[in-house]
Amino acid sequence: MKTNILNKAKGLMVKVLPFYLFTLLPLMTGCKDSFLEVTSPTDTFIEEYYTTKTSLDEALVAAYAPLHWYDYGSTYQYNALNFISEFMSDDMYPNGSSNTDQPMLQLMFNYSCTPVVCLTGVWSDSYSGVKRSNDVLTYCDWVEKAGNISAAERADYEAQARLLRVFYYLQLWKFYGNIPCYFENLQAPYISEQFTADQVYTKVMEELEAVIATGNLKNDYPADQKGHVTLPLAYMIYAEMVMIQNDSSRYGKALGYMKELIGSGRYQLTPNYKDIWDESGEWNAESIWEINYFDDNSVRGWGNQLAAGGCVFPRLHGPRSFKANAGDPYEDVDAGWGFSAIPLHSVASFEEGDIRKEFSAFDLNAHGTSDDPGWMNTGYCLYKYMCRKGNNKDQKADADLGFNNNLRVYRYSEVLLNAAELLLKTGGSASEAAGYVNEVRARAGLAAANGVDEDIILNERRHEFMGEGKRYFDLVRTGRAASVLTPANDSGGYRTKGWSEDVRYLPIPQDNIDAAQGTLKQNGSYK
């Protein structure tokens, strides 16, 4: 059984309101299991309740909880971070039963979302995380005033809450760009200034640098506490933000962080690429950071989707009406809802002999049959997070939301490829950059590249991380999106609208535009 900070939140159920309300709303619900024993805050003033380390632990658990909700959370949307941006790239079709199955996903694929039919879950869940992280920082003052926490303990709580808040803002910045950004919870009427994407970058990056500079983030946690935010996670967020922003002034520092991780000796590539995606491969030597899910006694269900426990995205990725061939090596693959069809042009993009192909573009026809493959079926889907028989066997609520697949957010292979790209950007050693790329290629069963450039590195990233949510942002940040993400390049003919800078960011949900009373401007030309 996995035990970690999110497991300890079993039974946690907090009503989530739109961000303009929940930015100030106190934690108003109780939790009860072996870890959490909460007296109802309705019987105690909140300033009196949050005066002990136990209550501060509960607040920190609550700040971690929205990480679980990205796959299916407060707005009842399927918005798992590993695949929503993939639909805006060139490497995954939304598929489903028809072009109206999960309309938000279908519209994202064609850059045609509206402020009403759009990605609302990442917005609401991320701002919920921001609010709860801010709470932890407030409660630290109260617990310290009561004399119930040491300086070192307070520093640890603060570092975790601040980095969590950065992670939540990272998602908001990547998907929506021009957003409200604040580090203290809002007062009535709960309206915040909206900043441009560049301004948000500056504010969040300064906060991230400040958190790193405290020296209070831990490098790692014991096996039973995996899932806490760490210094290596901070380094990965730093590199991702700097590279998306094309901030040349910080390339050198980002490269230094990647080299520090490489030189630490804590990480290495998993020899067998397939093993990364098995339950036994969670938190292995390649993992920088994961979001934990578990099926053991999971109580997450359709009527309790905010409870801690399992996840639903394996069911989303599973091939529709699939039956594996008896005795097939992948006989444990289970049927799902088919929202991860891999386009034929993506299948063809792999080099001959690349072992990653089987796990990124899984050949359904070679391993089983389906009598209802979906409207965008290509015969290929993503294996990495595919639902497998037995991965939800110990859940206690709804099987669809009870899978134990951790979300691999950052892996060591990304450290190597980041370092290679940053070396080229800073005029560093081309042979050293090639060495990092070739470590990744060797694990994939490919011959070493004699030299590398940005195109080669991006191609390697495409095939290393297919289906992991990296491709769209790589195309945008390198200026390739407009030429690659076009109807002409879609081998299936499903994409009818091409990408433009006007649709780089998704529309801000209309209910939040309305609630902001004219202070929140819509992105692009969305209407």
Side-chain angles (χ1 to χ4, degrees):
M1 176 177 178
K2 304 173 193 173
T3 56
N4 51 65
I5 192 163
L6 288 180
N7 294 60
K8 293 174 180 178
K10 289 182 293 183
L12 182 65
M13 179 64 180
V14 179
K15 183 177 181 181
V16 176
L17 300 179
F19 92 93
Y20 52 89
L21 293 180
F22 65 56
T23 46
L24 191 65
L25 184 70
L27 183 63
M28 294 297 290
T29 186
C31 321
K32 186 173 183 179
D33 68 5
S34 60
F35 177 68
L36 300 178
E37 293 291 341
V38 181
T39 301
S40 170
T42 58
D43 298 329
T44 307
F45 288 111
I46 192 168
E47 293 86 351
E48 297 174 0
Y49 183 76
Y50 288 104
T51 57
T52 67
K53 204 160 149 305
T54 298
S55 61
L56 191 57
D57 280 334
E58 294 162 7
L60 185 62
V61 168
Y64 274 92
L67 296 173
H68 264 183
W69 305 345
Y70 283 123
D71 73 321
Y72 185 74
S74 60
T75 62
Y76 306 98
Q77 281 189 345
Y78 300 115
N79 35 232
L81 297 178
N82 62 313
F83 83 129
I84 45 177
S85 64
E86 290 295 303
F87 297 144
M88 297 189 290
S89 79
D90 54 340
D91 280 340
M92 188 178 286
Y93 289 148
N95 198 21
S97 62
S98 70
N99 63 1
T100 60
D101 193 354
Q102 297 302 313
M104 178 267 293
L105 302 179
Q106 308 291 343
L107 292 176
M108 286 178 70
F109 171 75
N110 256 326
Y111 316 115
S112 300
C113 285
T114 72
V116 175
V117 184
C118 63
L119 187 70
T120 60
V122 170
W123 179 276
S124 293
D125 297 339
S126 296
Y127 275 116
S128 183
V130 168
K131 185 268 172 189
R132 290 162 176 232
S133 300
N134 288 341
D135 281 342
V136 173
L137 299 174
T138 297
Y139 302 156
C140 279
D141 288 337
W142 300 354
V143 178
E144 182 181 56
K145 185 177 179 180
N148 292 325
I149 192 171
S150 69
E153 289 170 332
R154 173 175 179 148
D156 179 43
Y157 282 97
E158 286 187 341
Q160 290 188 65
R162 292 174 72 182
L163 186 55
L164 274 171
R165 185 172 60 188
V166 165
F167 182 82
Y168 291 127
Y169 271 127
L170 169 64
Q171 311 314 317
L172 290 162
W173 175 68
K174 288 199 302 184
F175 285 101
Y176 304 100
N178 311 297
I179 60 170
C181 183
Y182 48 89
F183 298 121
E184 293 183 3
N185 285 336
L186 306 178
Q187 303 295 320
Y190 313 113
I191 293 174
S192 173
E193 177 182 1
Q194 182 181 23
F195 296 92
T196 66
D198 288 343
Q199 291 171 326
V200 173
Y201 170 80
T202 298
K203 287 170 66 70
V204 175
M205 182 55 67
E206 288 175 351
E207 171 67 1
L208 177 57
E209 289 177 332
V211 176
I212 293 172
T214 66
N216 294 326
L217 289 167
K218 296 181 181 179
N219 277 307
D220 202 1
Y221 284 85
D224 64 346
Q225 296 179 43
K226 297 287 190 180
H228 288 261
V229 294
T230 62
L231 182 62
L233 169 62
Y235 286 173
M236 296 305 292
I237 294 174
Y238 189 95
E240 180 175 9
M241 291 190 70
V242 165
M243 293 166 74
I244 289 176
Q245 184 70 9
N246 293 309
D247 183 357
S248 59
S249 70
R250 289 183 167 97
Y251 286 159
K253 182 178 284 189
L255 175 59
Y257 288 155
M258 297 301 99
K259 285 193 170 185
E260 184 178 329
L261 293 178
I262 293 169
S264 70
R266 292 195 302 271
Y267 304 104
Q268 62 184 24
L269 295 178
T270 302
N272 187 344
Y273 190 78
K274 177 185 181 296
D275 292 345
I276 299 171
W277 314 108
D278 293 336
E279 185 180 13
S280 60
E282 293 174 352
W283 292 110
N284 62 24
E286 182 164 347
S287 177
I288 305 296
W289 194 66
E290 303 179 10
I291 296 175
N292 293 314
Y293 291 95
F294 59 96
D295 66 325
D296 301 305
N297 298 311
S298 169
V299 295
R300 197 173 188 212
W302 297 116
N304 192 18
Q305 80 278 10
L306 303 189
C311 58
V312 70
F313 52 80
R315 188 68 83 196
L316 288 160
H317 285 299
R320 294 176 60 83
S321 303
F322 182 75
K323 293 183 180 179
N325 297 327
D328 188 88
Y330 300 101
E331 193 173 11
D332 65 335
V333 169
D334 201 3
W337 301 332
F339 289 99
S340 67
I342 305 300
L344 294 180
H345 58 257
S346 300
V347 179
S349 71
F350 283 89
E351 293 179 52
E352 185 69 29
D354 191 333
I355 65 172
R356 297 170 298 194
K357 179 179 179 180
E358 181 73 356
F359 311 108
S360 301
F362 184 76
D363 188 345
L364 294 171
N365 295 326
H367 300 289
T369 59
S370 174
D371 57 10
D372 178 24
W375 81 286
M376 303 172 90
N377 173 58
T378 64
Y380 295 88
C381 70
L382 185 72
Y383 174 85
K384 295 176 179 179
Y385 289 107
M386 194 179 297
C387 55
R388 303 176 209 178
K389 300 169 184 175
N391 277 18
N392 61 353
K393 63 183 175 60
D394 295 318
Q395 57 79 31
K396 302 299 181 184
D398 290 305
D400 291 332
L401 280 81
F403 286 93
N404 60 17
N405 304 64
N406 281 5
L407 180 63
R408 282 73 162 170
V409 180
Y410 294 111
R411 300 191 281 112
Y412 182 58
S413 55
E414 188 167 3
V415 177
L416 295 171
L417 295 178
N418 283 352
E421 187 173 342
L422 289 164
L423 274 167
L424 297 186
K425 291 180 182 297
T426 56
S429 168
S431 62
E432 185 181 359
Y436 293 144
V437 173
N438 286 331
E439 282 190 56
V440 179
R441 289 180 61 82
R443 197 260 300 272
L446 300 174
N450 293 326
V452 295
D453 57 20
E454 186 176 72
D455 285 336
I456 290 174
I457 294 172
L458 288 177
N459 187 60
E460 206 58 47
R461 287 178 63 89
R462 178 185 191 181
H463 297 106
E464 177 69 17
F465 305 122
M466 189 173 288
E468 297 180 54
K470 315 285 183 180
R471 174 69 171 172
Y472 174 74
F473 299 107
D474 282 348
L475 292 174
V476 171
R477 69 182 177 82
T478 59
R480 290 166 168 80
S483 60
V484 173
L485 303 177
T486 67
N489 289 333
D490 177 19
S491 59
Y494 297 109
R495 179 159 278 156
T496 58
K497 179 181 177 181
W499 185 93
S500 68
E501 188 65 35
D502 194 52
V503 295
R504 171 177 179 171
Y505 301 116
L506 294 170
I508 295 172
Q510 187 61 46
D511 59 351
N512 286 269
I513 295 286
D514 295 340
Q517 302 175 24
T519 63
L520 195 57
K521 183 180 178 182
Q522 184 57 267
N523 282 331
S525 59
Y526 293 111
K527 296 180 180 179

